[in-house]
């Protein structure tokens, strides 16, 4: 696989010339158990020195995953919904936390996800909520701080830093998987150009450059091309103006 990094290198050089820095973070979704793919993810995280915010599906997380996370300090568990179940109508985009069922049921699942993973991971758990398919109703977002969450993470550049009092939005911005086609790597040159454009928007003030730039992966479906591209991209960002960002692990302070 050949990759033309020139567009991104040009943009990163502009960042350096202007004395700008870029906080970079890594989120990986859909963890349930320890697998060879998870071991590959953990090893790459250690090699790069970039922690992975591991979005764990609470209902299905098993003891092998807990043990794996305990032995890999660069894996930071966060809450990935409850069951990763679609409640949307057949003609709608998939979602678990939009208003397709009573609010009490939705909030019960969001609360249960946090409590179950707290019982499994203790203070290793970061109080970040990652809704499956990156979709969540604004009305649900407003309730997350009261459940104990401090961060909401979806996708694309955020519109506001704090969508609710006591809650910060930290999104992902680049997903290299061709979900609607091959389910492999999107054309690498296209991804490189997309990254350069996203960074240019930040540098020129069209999007919020205080938001950490998020790279999203899904270890369970990665082939070698996806691993290769992810490693090469993160190395380039970190060798330029980038530095690794880690979500603060604060007590939730949820009322009993």
């Amino acid at each position: 696989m050949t990759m033309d990094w020139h567009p991104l290198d040009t943009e990163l050089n502009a960042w350096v010339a202007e004395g700008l820095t870029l906080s970079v973070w890594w989120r990986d979704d859909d963890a349930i158990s320890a697998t060879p793919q998870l071991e590959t993810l953990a090893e790459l995280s250690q090699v790069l020195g970039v922690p992975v915010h591991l979005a764990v599906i609470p209902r299905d997380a098993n003891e092998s995953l807990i043990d794996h996370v305990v032995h890999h300090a660069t894996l930071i568990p966060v809450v990935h919904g409850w069951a990763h179940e679609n409640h949307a109508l057949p003609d709608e985009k998939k979602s678990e936390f939009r208003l397709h069922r009573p609010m009490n049921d939705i909030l019960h699942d969001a609360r249960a996800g946090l409590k179950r993973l707290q019982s499994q991971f203790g203070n290793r758990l970061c109080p970040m909520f990652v809704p499956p398919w990156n979709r969540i109703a604004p009305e649900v977002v407003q309730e997350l701080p009261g459940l104990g969450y401090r961060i909401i993470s979806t996708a694309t550049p955020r519109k506001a830093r704090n969508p609710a009092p006591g809650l910060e939005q930290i999104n992902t911005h680049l997903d290299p998987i061709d979900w609607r086609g091959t389910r492999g790597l999107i054309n690498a040159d296209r991804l490189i150009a997309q990254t350069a454009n996203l960074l240019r928007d930040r540098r020129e003030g069209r999007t919020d450059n205080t938001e950490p730039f998020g790279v999203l992966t899904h270890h369970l479906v990665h082939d070698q091309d996806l691993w290769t591209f992810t490693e090469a991209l993160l190395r380039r960002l970190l060798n330029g103006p980038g530095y690794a960002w880690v979500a603060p692990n604060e007590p939730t302070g949820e009322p009993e």
Side-chain angles (χ1 to χ4, degrees), residues 18-19 41 51 57 60 79 90 101 117 135 158 210 227:
E18 294 181 24
L41 178 73
I57 301 173
D60 301 329
V79 183
R101 51 197 177 120
L117 294 190
R135 299 184 184 113
R158 66 188 180 191
T210 66
W227 288 122

Side-chain angles (χ1 to χ4, degrees), residues 72-85:
H72 291 82
T74 61
L75 297 181
I76 302 171
V78 304
V79 183
H80 197 26
W82 167 245
H84 211 297
E85 284 187 348

Side-chain angles (χ1 to χ4, degrees), residues 52-208:
V52 177
H53 299 74
L54 189 67
V56 177
I57 301 173
R59 187 194 66 181
D60 301 329
N62 63 29
E63 291 296 326
S64 72
L65 178 66
I66 300 167
D67 184 67
H68 194 91
V69 169
V70 165
H71 290 92
H72 291 82
T74 61
L75 297 181
I76 302 171
V78 304
V79 183
H80 197 26
W82 167 245
H84 211 297
E85 284 187 348
N86 176 32
H87 296 281
L89 298 174
D91 61 342
E92 295 180 329
K93 292 183 177 180
K94 293 180 179 179
S95 68
E96 187 175 27
F97 286 89
R98 284 182 171 169
L99 302 180
H100 297 101
R101 51 197 177 120
M103 179 65 85
N104 285 343
D105 293 347
I106 295 171
L107 298 183
H108 174 274
D109 284 355
R111 181 185 293 109
L114 182 63
K115 287 196 169 294
R116 182 161 200 263
L117 294 190
Q118 282 176 330
S119 71
Q120 292 175 319
F121 296 107
N123 61 12
R124 286 288 302 277
L125 182 72
C126 174
M128 174 188 291
F129 189 74
V130 178
W133 298 286
N134 291 307
R135 299 184 184 113
I136 185 170
E139 295 87 347
V140 179
V141 171
Q142 295 300 311
E143 302 296 330
L144 292 179
L147 303 180
Y149 291 102
R150 296 294 172 261
I151 300 172
I152 172 74
S153 181
T154 58
T156 73
R158 66 188 180 191
K159 300 293 191 296
R161 179 168 185 163
N162 301 108
L167 190 72
E168 186 172 8
Q169 185 104 32
I170 306 288
N171 287 347
T172 59
H173 305 91
L174 190 80
D175 181 347
I177 297 177
D178 181 10
W179 291 108
R180 297 181 180 180
T182 65
R183 297 181 71 86
L185 180 71
I186 294 172
N187 178 272
D189 290 347
R190 176 180 159 194
L191 289 169
I192 292 166
Q194 181 182 350
T195 305
N197 290 336
L198 287 166
L199 297 188
R200 187 177 303 110
D201 284 344
R202 287 168 167 256
R203 181 171 57 85
E204 296 179 352
R206 287 183 290 276
T207 54
D208 183 359

Side-chain angles (χ1 to χ4, degrees), residues 3-22:
M3 295 179 277
D4 178 11
W5 291 100
H6 178 73
L8 181 57
D9 289 343
T10 299
E11 180 58 27
L12 293 177
N13 288 338
W15 279 65
V16 173
E18 294 181 24
L20 299 173
T21 57
L22 176 71

